[in-house]
Each structure stands twice: as structure tokens, then as C-alpha cells.
């Protein structure tokens, strides 16, 4: 929802071609190089992860690198597609340059997320999905919509000093790497973002993040993002993978918490619990400002707006 207006603007401006179909440029039994042809992120993501899954089922691993991509939403969504097939899934993407490397003044890397999902016995799973910045820009936008300040260590202002002003941070576009400042080991997030850059633009031939235009409502140039989709069959390795992952998950959840009212969670539990609550309620909660934005967009393109219940 937070990105819908940008997706529509991209299609109307020609930045994104909603009719494009990805093309395989080169492949082996386990790998593929794909041209996303500036298509919708969902179109390219579905094609590429399906290809990685097919290869993993045939020879144990599928690794697909894609150029000329657009924003593809939540990285973990693509990793989960492989997990649902009994495989380990991973996905990565570069983005526009908003991560400020340690000791630098300018943003030159992206949020460059890392995602991994793996199945466990009994229908359980582990899901990791994280930006290599302390927080993704979408979370900064949500703080703006909620009228709340940022936690310390998320972003810099235009003067390159840390700020908790969400609007100022959004306008400056200078996110700190995972870990924050140098004194709190932010260089580790910088290195993780650089690793994702290698896997995305390095393998695919897309633009490196520092050459990607800022994503905005007035953008007229395709971003040519690089993305990577990986599927791995655990059955090709030691038997009992699902049991071992299930054991890890339960061990972590059973750890004694500091606060008894806040149990220890395994990676992916928070989102899984939120999904259960949402499904049981039958509705999705949005900030009032986001509903207002959605109504304005609906009016602009001539469709029925969302209705509050």
C-alpha cells in the first residue's frame, strides 16, 4: 500500500513496462542470467524465483541473477516462495543510493535487503528479512504517517548529523547502515550492503546502486536494479534438516526472557503472529494518513477508494 502510488506513477511515465515479460539471456543447469525488461517487480520476481525453484528441484540449487528490474516489494516474500516448496529460499536486491557508508557524507549504497526462508518439521519455518540499513526507508515513511519520531541511530539529517525527525530524515535520504555509527559497529551493515551489491549488480550487469536514480513521483528513467533469487534443496545434504531447524526454533523460543511478558521469538515469529491476528480480525489496519493518500490516488485514477470499517 505504501508503494502503490509510486508503482502506478512508474507505469504511467514509462519507467516500468507493465506488459514486459522477462527473458533468459544465459543459463546452465543451476544458474540463469535474466533480463527483467523493466517489468513490474511482481512479474520479474515470480518468473525468476520460479526458475530458481525449478533448477533446485532438478539439480539441487538454482541461482538466478536479473538486470533491468523495478522495486519488487518485500524481499522475504520471494524467499518464502521457495520455502513453501520445501527448499531454502534467498533473495536480494539493490536499490537507490540512500545508505551512507561509514565515514562518508553521501548515500551510495541502498537498503539492499537480505532475505532467507527455510522449512522446518511440523510446518514451522525460519524467515529472515532485513535491510542492511538500520531501518528501511519505508519504516521512516511510516513514522511520518504516524507522526512519531525516529529511534536514535536510524538516519542522518542534511547536515550529516544524527536526527530523530522523520520528515527531515526522509528529505535528506541519508540512512545509517545496520549497526548505526562507527562507534556502534555500523561498518558491519555497510559491508553487508556491499555484499548484496556484488550479488545483484555484480552478477546481473545492472546499475550499481550509486548509479541508480532516486525513486520518486517525478522519476522518468528506469532504475535498472539488480536482483538475485536463490533456491537450495536441503535434501542434497545431511538428512534431518527439517528436524534440526525445528529444534533450533523451539530452543530459541524456550529461552528464559528478560521480561516474562515478552517471550523470546524466532526469526519470522513476529510477522507470523501479526498475520494470524490480522486474518482472525478479517481487516487490515492502516494509519489515517495512508487511507487519505489511498483515497486521493483512487480519485485521481478513477477507481473506488478503500473503505474504513
Amino acid at each position: 500500500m505504501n508503494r502503490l502510488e509510486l508503482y502506478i506513477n512508474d507505469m504511467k511515465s514509462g519507467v516500468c513496462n507493465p506488459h514486459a515479460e522477462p527473458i533468459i539471456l544465459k543459463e546452465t543447469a543451476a544458474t540463469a542470467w535474466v533480463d527483467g525488461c523493466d517489468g513490474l517487480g511482481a512479474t520479474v520476481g515470480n518468473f525468476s524465483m520460479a526458475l530458481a525453484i525449478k533448477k533446485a528441484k532438478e539439480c539441487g540449487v538454482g541461482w538466478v541473477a536479473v538486470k533491468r528490474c523495478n522495486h519488487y516489494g518485500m524481499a522475504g516474500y520471494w524467499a518464502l516462495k521457495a520455502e513453501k516448496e520445501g527448499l531454502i529460499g534467498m533473495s536480494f536486491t539493490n536499490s537507490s543510493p540512500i545508505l551512507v557508508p561509514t565515514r562518508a557524507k553521501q548515500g551510495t549504497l541502498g537498503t539492499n535487503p537480505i532475505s532467507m526462508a527455510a522449512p522446518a518439521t511440523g510446518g514451522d519455518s525460519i524467515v529472515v528479512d532485513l535491510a542492511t540499513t538500520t531501518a528501511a526507508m519505508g519504516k521512516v515513511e511510516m513514522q511520518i504517517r504516524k507522526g512519531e519520531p525516529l529511534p536514535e541511530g536510524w538516519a542522518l539529517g542534511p547536515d550529516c548529523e544524527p536526527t530523530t525527525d522523520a520528515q527531515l530524515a526522509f528529505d535528506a535520504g541519508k540512512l545509517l547502515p545496520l549497526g548505526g555509527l562507527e562507534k556502534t559497529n555500523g561498518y558491519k551493515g555497510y559491508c553487508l550492503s556491499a555484499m548484496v551489491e556484488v550479488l545483484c549488480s555484480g552478477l546481473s550487469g545492472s546499475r550499481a546502486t550509486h548509479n541508480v536514480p532516486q525513486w520518486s513521483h517525478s522519476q522518468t528513467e528506469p532504475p535498472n536494479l539488480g536482483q538475485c533469487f536463490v533456491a537450495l534443496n536441503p535434501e542434497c545434504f545431511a538428512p534431518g534438516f527439517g528436524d534440526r531447524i525445528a529444534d533450533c526454533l523451539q530452543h530459541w523460543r524456550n529461552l528464559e526472557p528478560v521480561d516474562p511478558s515478552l517471550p523470546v521469538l524466532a526469526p519470522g515469529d513476529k510477522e507470523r503472529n501479526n498475520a494470524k491476528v490480522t486474518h482472525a480480525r478479517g481487516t487490515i489496519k492502516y494509519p489515517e494518513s495512508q487511507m487519505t493518500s489511498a483515497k486521493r490516488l483512487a480519485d485521481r485514477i478513477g477507481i473506488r477508494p478503500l473503505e474504513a470499517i
Side-chain angles (χ1 to χ4, degrees):
M1 277 295 295
N2 209 35
R3 295 283 180 249
L4 184 58
E5 188 170 4
L6 283 166
Y7 291 154
I8 290 173
N9 287 343
D10 284 352
M11 287 186 281
K12 284 183 171 293
S13 69
V15 166
C16 171
N17 179 2
H19 306 293
E21 294 290 341
I23 299 169
I24 298 174
L25 300 173
K26 182 193 295 184
E27 69 177 323
T28 67
T31 66
W33 176 35
V34 171
D35 185 346
C37 299
D38 299 322
L40 282 164
T43 301
V44 177
N46 274 310
F47 177 91
S48 301
M49 184 49 89
L51 182 58
I53 289 169
K54 178 176 180 291
K55 290 180 178 295
K57 288 182 175 181
E58 292 173 351
C59 62
V61 62
W63 193 296
V64 180
V66 194
K67 68 174 183 174
R68 291 214 290 165
C69 300
N70 280 291
H71 189 277
Y72 74 172
M74 183 179 77
Y77 176 83
W78 307 108
L80 279 164
K81 279 190 165 293
E83 183 274 329
K84 290 173 182 175
E85 297 289 331
L87 307 170
I88 300 170
M90 293 185 283
S91 184
F92 315 90
T93 181
N94 68 356
S95 68
S96 53
I98 54 176
L99 180 150
V100 179
T102 305
R103 303 186 181 182
K105 287 187 174 182
Q106 295 83 29
T108 193
L109 284 161
T111 53
N112 291 18
I114 295 169
S115 67
M116 187 279 298
T121 300
D124 207 348
S125 64
I126 178 171
V127 185
V128 175
D129 185 357
L130 55 96
T132 52
T133 48
T134 299
M137 188 58 83
K139 291 192 174 181
V140 174
E141 292 176 74
M142 289 309 298
Q143 293 301 102
I144 294 172
R145 292 188 184 278
K146 292 186 292 185
E148 297 177 3
L150 302 181
E152 293 185 5
W154 277 25
L156 303 176
D159 58 357
C160 294
E161 292 296 322
T163 183
T164 59
D165 185 316
Q167 188 64 59
L168 191 66
F170 180 80
D171 293 340
K174 297 176 184 287
L175 296 182
L176 286 166
L178 186 62
L181 300 168
E182 184 171 6
K183 65 183 179 182
T184 52
N185 300 333
Y187 48 83
K188 294 182 180 180
Y190 167 30
C191 292
L192 287 171
S193 187
M195 179 193 77
V196 173
E197 193 68 50
V198 171
L199 298 177
C200 292
S201 68
L203 289 179
S204 74
S206 72
R207 280 178 170 156
T209 295
H210 60 268
N211 292 321
V212 173
Q214 291 290 346
W215 198 23
S216 70
H217 294 288
S218 58
Q219 185 175 336
T220 58
E221 185 180 2
N224 187 7
L225 299 179
Q227 293 170 354
C228 189
F229 301 84
V230 183
L232 182 67
N233 187 352
E235 294 299 319
C236 294
F237 300 90
F241 174 84
D243 292 341
R244 288 192 297 276
I245 302 306
D247 176 64
C248 287
L249 293 170
Q250 289 309 312
H251 179 79
W252 300 332
R253 290 166 179 147
N254 291 333
L255 291 170
E256 184 178 359
V258 174
D259 182 343
S261 68
L262 296 172
V264 179
L265 302 176
D269 280 356
K270 183 178 179 180
E271 294 75 14
R272 187 181 293 109
N273 293 341
N274 286 341
K276 287 180 181 177
V277 170
T278 299
H279 283 298
R281 188 176 59 237
T283 59
I284 300 173
K285 290 184 177 181
Y286 292 113
E288 185 176 352
S289 61
Q290 189 157 23
M291 294 291 289
T292 301
S293 295
K295 183 181 185 308
R296 187 168 57 246
L297 175 62
D299 291 343
R300 177 161 70 87
I301 61 178
I303 62 172
R304 180 181 173 183
L306 285 172
E307 295 180 2
I309 297 177

